[in-house]
Amino acid sequence: PIHHATWTLSSFSKRLCEWAYEIYDTIIHSTLGESPRDAYLNGIASTGNRRFTYIGYDDTFHMMTLPSTKKGTARVDSTRGVKINGRYYWSESLRNPFLEGTQIPVRYDPYNMGVGYAYIKNNWVELISEYFSVFVNCTEREVKIASDELRRRIKLSGKQSDVTSSQLAQFLRSTEAEELLLLQRLRDGEVKQAFHVIEGGMSENTIKKKKDKIVEISLNKDSNKDSNKDSIKNILSHLELYEEF
């Protein structure tokens, strides 16, 4: 439950992997009569890797797992772009006159509302959001929280109007929004870090350990240099001088 959660996603993922691959995977399974790891290795030895069944974690897989809008498509406006979740997204590919007024499939990245995607000529094309500098790397959850707060304020003022992209961008730039969204940004940061590791990147802890190791090696080298200098000075001090130069 959200109010009782104590683990961050990255920490939980790490421990879950340890349990799945180092504990459960190596314990004898009552049904198999051997550990799941041994069963897997024996299966590979008998039937081969069957790589044709693998689903690669590539750009195609990533694109197919991104969400779309409720409608799934958006109408093309050759001057403004396509509207995704109430905001316009643009690419030069939308200037094609044959696309004007047509409905095309769209997707968006819930962890980066600065970009969207449209399916044009059998390819997914990246689109740039209006007010890109504000929405880039802003998550869907952050935008929703900010939008709800703006609607609440508009309602309290007695006005009846929808939240525009301009109003939302202006609010997201404010100190009030930073305070309102700080906790959510910390949570989203943990999720982004977990995704970064899943995609083959290094965790922040691993990066820190590598940096500490480099500093340690550098310090040891400096220490060895100083030690060598002292040794040379010691040797020179015992040498007999034959002439003055």
Side-chain angles (χ1 to χ4, degrees), residues 27 69 76 91 109 126 128-129 135-136 140 143 219 240:
I27 296 175
T69 59
V76 177
S91 168
D109 187 343
E126 184 176 274
I128 302 300
S129 168
F135 290 111
V136 63
E140 181 182 20
V143 172
L219 291 173
E240 183 179 353

Side-chain angles (χ1 to χ4, degrees), residues 7-21:
W7 289 83
T8 62
L9 181 62
S10 57
S11 298
F12 175 74
S13 297
K14 178 182 177 182
R15 295 303 182 186
L16 180 61
C17 286
E18 287 180 2
W19 175 82
Y21 303 129

Side-chain angles (χ1 to χ4, degrees), residues 63-192:
M63 184 58 63
M64 297 309 295
T65 56
L66 291 178
S68 184
T69 59
K70 290 182 179 180
K71 188 177 179 181
T73 62
R75 182 179 177 276
V76 177
D77 182 333
S78 59
T79 59
R80 302 190 67 182
V82 294
K83 186 178 282 189
I84 303 174
N85 295 325
R87 286 171 298 282
Y88 278 102
Y89 289 77
W90 173 254
S91 168
E92 289 297 322
S93 300
L94 297 174
R95 288 193 183 278
N96 188 331
F98 294 103
L99 294 176
E100 176 66 32
T102 62
Q103 294 283 335
I104 58 175
V106 293
R107 295 181 184 272
Y108 66 94
D109 187 343
Y111 289 95
N112 184 4
M113 300 303 286
V115 298
Y117 301 91
Y119 196 67
I120 304 172
K121 292 184 177 179
N122 299 322
N123 286 300
W124 284 102
V125 177
E126 184 176 274
L127 313 175
I128 302 300
S129 168
E130 55 181 341
Y131 305 104
F132 173 79
S133 61
V134 178
F135 290 111
V136 63
N137 292 325
C138 196
T139 67
E140 181 182 20
R141 182 63 179 167
E142 288 178 50
V143 172
K144 183 180 185 306
I145 292 173
S147 299
D148 290 344
E149 176 62 17
L150 273 178
R151 290 192 187 94
R152 186 186 70 82
R153 295 185 180 193
I154 292 172
K155 186 176 180 180
L156 288 175
S157 66
K159 299 178 182 178
Q160 294 292 332
S161 63
D162 293 330
V163 176
T164 65
S165 295
S166 176
Q167 290 173 321
L168 186 58
Q170 185 176 355
F171 179 70
L172 286 169
R173 291 191 187 101
S174 68
T175 305
E176 293 170 291
E178 185 173 353
E179 183 178 2
L180 176 68
L181 299 172
L182 184 58
L183 182 59
Q184 184 61 42
R185 284 172 177 169
L186 290 172
R187 290 170 177 164
D188 292 338
E190 287 290 338
V191 177
K192 289 179 180 179

